Every structure is written in C-alpha cells, then in structure tokens.
Amino acid sequence: MAVVTGDFRRYLFPHDHPRLSEIRGLDAAEYARVASRPGTFTGGLIAGWAPLYRAPFRGVTENGILRRDVHPLTPAEASDAAPVAAMVEAATTLLDTLSDSDRARLCHDVDAVEWQTWANPEFLQFDTGLRLERTTDAVRDAAMELMRASLSPEGFETARNTMAVNGFLGETVDLPTILNEWSYNLALYGRPHPTAPWGWQLFGHHLALNCLVVDGRMTIGPAFLGAEPDEIDAGPRAGVRTLGRHTAAMRRIMAALGESHRAQATVYRSMVDPAMPPGRVHPGDERHLAGAFQDNRVIPVEGVRVADLPDADAAAVDDAVEVFLHLLPDGPRRAAMRGVVDHRDETWFCWIGGHGEDDVFYARIQSPVVLVEVDHHCGVFLDYDEPKPFHVHTVLRIPHGNDYGRSWVHQWRQRRPRS
C-alpha cells in the first residue's frame, strides 16, 4: 500500500468559508448554472471554452500542418488486438439495462461532435450522455464493467481510484453533491461491433477517458487524469494514491539527463516565470497546453530532442510514455509503443520549474503520435495560491488527428463507404 502523508490537510478551508459554503448543497445542474454566470472565474473559463468544441476537428499539431501518414489503419495482429469481444458484450449489457430514453441519451454517432464536450473541471459545462450519479446501481455497475472490459487491470484501477479520490475530496470539504464517486458522464459512440468503429467516453472532475476501437485497434486519447489531493489518507480506502507513477516517471527523465541536456530541456526555471509570454499560464489549465477543448491547438515542440540523448536517457522517455499508456490493455499498448519508438527522431522533452526531489514542475513529451503532460496546480478546493505536489493534472493526446480515433474512423469509412 502506498504511503500517505495528509500534507494537504494544512490547506483545508474553514467549513463556513464562502468558497465552499456558497455552493454547498447544490446538485450538478444547479452548480452548472451558478458556475456559468458571467463575471465569475468559472464563468470566464466557460465563456472561453464554449466556442472551441464546435470548430471543425483537425487535431493537435506542432506546426499547424496535419500529417496523414502517422496513424495508418491496419487490422490488429492477434497479439496486439483490443479485447473487442468482451467490450461488445459489456456494452450490449449496458444498453439492455437502460430505458429507451436513457439509451437515446447515451448513444451518439461514432464521429459526433459530442466527443469534444469532455472537460475535467467539477462544473458540468456539457451534460453529454448519462450522468452516473443520476442512474441506478445496475446502470453504474454495467458502466464500470464496460470500462473494466476495455482497459488494462492497472488502467481500470487508476480510473476507479481517481473516482474514489474525487468522492473523498467531496467528503473532506463537505461538497458531496458536487464532488462524489459518481459525478461523471458516460456516452457511447457508434454501435458496438467486432470490427466497425465504436467507443465510449467517461468524463468529470479530474478524469476523462475517450476510448475507440476499430478492426481490433484501440486508442484512449484524449485522456485526462488528475487529483486534488492525490491520496486518500483516512477511511476504508486509506492508502489509495493515483498519479505518483506519472510524476515519478517524469522526474526520472530529468534526473537522468546530463547538465547540458537538462538545461536544454528546461524552457522556464519557475512555474510562473517573468520570461513567459502573456497567456502561457492559463487561469484554468495553468501550464497545460493540450487540455479540454484544445483539440486543434498548435503546440510547437520545445526543450531537447530525444534522439540527441544517450540511449539510457531516451529509454527513460519511452518508459514515461508507457506509464501514460498504462490505461491500454497489453496488446494495444505494445502497438502504441512501437509507434512511439518509431518516431523517436521527432520526439521532444521539455520541463518547467525546479528539478529537486520535492519541487513542483511541468513536463511534456511530444511526438507526432503522442503528447503527454504533467503539471502541478494551485488550489481549487483547498486553500493555496502556488502549485503544490499533491494537486496534479496529466493529459494524454494523440496528435495529427487521431484523438477520439478520428483518423482511423476516416480511413475505415474511405474503405467501406456508407450505403
């Protein structure tokens, strides 16, 4: 069991603090209305994000030029195949559990714009699919079985622990109607099928997964994992921690680098650096560049090119990417990692902040086939104005158009025109 610290408890708001008391007792829909009010912090975030999701999808790129060659769709070899049969069975059970109205609400076309409504804040900007806290135990159980059938055992554990930590936060700050284990939305895209493209989406506070399968291939991007705090220190789940492996993997890269490469990787020495251009630290995303609603963002590479590193250092970068891909089952993860290694010459690693054992930091690994970020954040439901190590956000993107499996869906349709 992971060691717990309880360090976050030094930053608890008083129970009657307006940050908490003014929203205590609101349900998700009521809080969404409050959060969207113009002139508020959350209202400003929503106003900025709302127009972005309807922009025609292209995908994240490093220079604005979309490459069509980096995500070829070929049927998966048996050793690389996703567990599609188990996923179809679980999805069918879920659909059979629902009423007609809930089934209609859950289901969307495989390339519907609703994929792009996911977000990681606690306020419900887009009520896509089914809200799990409003459903029955049977529906929630069936939804979790779909996730279990799709993800690796470790990935499923991470997702469930993230949901549990969210519930723990809600209990700790007495906001259980806004932050709980089931304050997440689930949607289904396409019709569950052995070879045709389809997938599912789960999103809510600090967790967003977008899973698509086609011809035995699987992608899990975009994926967002976060936590505030990153541990449960009391109660029956005490000892649960979520993102230590992600932060540790990035720290290992920085620790391995020689002095010159470490200096090259460090694009800013401070988390809020005077040398940063205006807007580099976003009010909601902070240093993250590839978060929610950034589906078409141009993100130039920075830092040090991985191909210029010694083999051991480059291997540490590969290891870190594989940590982010642990959500995928073994076969799809192996296939994804082959693509990562094949594009090592085009892979970059960058860092913001200190690199001591206890320092907070931002780090990004970026290539044509994967982009991953780790960022330590300021307080949202805990009271601190500078990033702390127990508030962590991570992002996984599939650049050049294969977020949501869009590139694969396009290729599949080109080969099999709709009647």
Side-chain angles (χ1 to χ4, degrees):
M1 181 175 290
V3 176
V4 298
T5 67
D7 287 347
F8 68 92
R9 291 191 178 273
R10 292 184 291 159
Y11 302 96
L12 291 173
F13 283 105
H15 188 267
D16 60 353
H17 192 282
R19 172 70 183 97
L20 307 178
S21 63
E22 290 180 358
I23 60 175
R24 186 167 285 126
L26 300 181
D27 64 22
E30 293 167 337
Y31 182 50
R33 289 191 289 273
V34 170
S36 63
R37 289 175 180 168
T40 63
F41 173 73
T42 51
L45 296 179
I46 290 172
W49 284 331
L52 298 179
Y53 93 98
R54 286 197 175 276
F57 177 83
R58 284 177 48 81
V60 170
T61 64
E62 67 277 7
N63 57 11
I65 301 172
L66 189 65
R67 290 175 54 174
R68 302 287 188 183
D69 63 320
V70 295
H71 300 294
L73 176 61
T74 56
E77 299 291 337
S79 60
D80 293 341
V84 180
M87 293 173 63
V88 169
E89 181 179 359
T92 301
T93 298
L94 171 63
L95 291 169
D96 290 344
T97 306
L98 299 174
S99 65
D100 289 345
S101 59
D102 280 350
R103 194 178 302 114
R105 184 172 180 82
L106 177 76
C107 297
H108 303 272
D109 290 341
V110 73
D111 55 358
V113 70
E114 281 80 5
W115 274 114
Q116 296 163 229
T117 60
W118 72 269
N120 54 279
E122 79 288 350
F123 51 80
L124 187 57
Q125 184 170 345
F126 294 100
D127 195 7
T128 302
L130 294 178
R131 185 75 168 176
L132 292 182
E133 65 185 338
R134 301 177 190 143
T135 62
T136 65
D137 288 344
V139 172
R140 286 193 286 265
D141 289 346
M144 294 302 98
E145 288 307 309
L146 174 58
M147 286 176 55
R148 188 193 302 274
S150 306
L151 305 176
S152 69
E154 299 82 5
F156 178 72
E157 180 181 39
T158 296
R160 291 296 288 121
N161 283 348
T162 301
M163 298 167 74
V165 167
N166 192 57
F168 171 72
L169 174 62
E171 294 170 0
T172 301
V173 300
D174 194 20
L175 293 175
T177 58
I178 293 173
L179 305 163
N180 64 75
E181 186 174 356
W182 301 110
S183 53
Y184 296 89
N185 283 47
L186 178 75
L188 198 69
Y189 294 88
R191 181 178 179 180
H193 190 275
T195 58
W198 69 279
W200 56 265
Q201 172 187 67
L202 181 95
F203 71 89
H205 190 221
H206 280 154
L207 176 63
L209 303 175
N210 295 279
C211 177
L212 182 128
V213 290
V214 54
D215 275 344
R217 306 290 296 276
M218 176 188 281
T219 183
I220 196 69
F224 184 103
L225 296 169
E228 184 198 29
D230 67 340
E231 66 176 5
I232 297 177
D233 74 335
R237 288 171 164 165
V240 165
R241 303 202 73 162
T242 54
L243 297 171
R245 70 178 77 180
H246 296 72
T247 55
M250 291 298 199
R251 290 186 193 278
R252 282 194 293 271
I253 299 172
M254 203 61 171
L257 295 181
E259 185 176 347
S260 62
H261 284 141
R262 189 179 299 138
Q264 191 176 347
T266 304
V267 292
Y268 299 105
R269 295 184 179 275
S270 300
M271 294 291 269
V272 180
D273 196 302
M276 289 177 172
R280 181 59 186 87
V281 180
H282 183 272
D285 285 328
E286 299 202 19
R287 283 145 295 277
H288 271 306
L289 300 175
F293 308 111
Q294 304 302 322
D295 295 300
N296 297 330
R297 187 160 189 169
V298 176
I299 302 175
V301 295
E302 297 178 286
V304 62
R305 192 171 72 119
V306 174
D308 296 333
L309 302 177
D311 288 346
D313 298 0
V317 174
D318 293 344
D319 290 345
V321 174
E322 190 158 12
V323 166
F324 281 79
L325 295 176
H326 85 285
L327 295 161
L328 292 169
D330 288 346
R333 184 167 65 249
R334 280 194 296 269
M337 284 304 301
R338 283 199 298 272
V340 171
V341 173
D342 288 346
H343 289 87
R344 183 176 284 172
D345 286 354
E346 301 174 275
T347 302
W348 294 72
F349 170 73
C350 70
W351 187 273
I352 295 174
H355 54 83
E357 184 177 347
D358 298 321
D359 287 336
V360 293
F361 66 88
Y362 164 89
R364 182 171 81 251
I365 301 168
Q366 182 176 354
S367 85
V369 295
V370 70
L371 185 156
V372 298
E373 297 179 292
V374 170
D375 193 25
H376 288 110
H377 276 224
C378 299
V380 175
F381 288 101
L382 301 175
D383 187 13
Y384 48 94
D385 296 327
E386 296 182 353
K388 298 295 181 186
F390 50 76
H391 188 179
V392 187
H393 286 192
T394 74
V395 174
L396 164 68
R397 285 279 187 172
I398 314 300
H400 290 281
N402 211 35
D403 276 336
Y404 319 105
R406 286 278 175 80
S407 177
W408 286 349
V409 172
H410 177 71
Q411 294 174 63
W412 190 88
R413 283 183 165 163
Q414 282 186 318
R415 298 170 190 175
R416 298 166 179 82
R418 284 186 282 186
S419 59

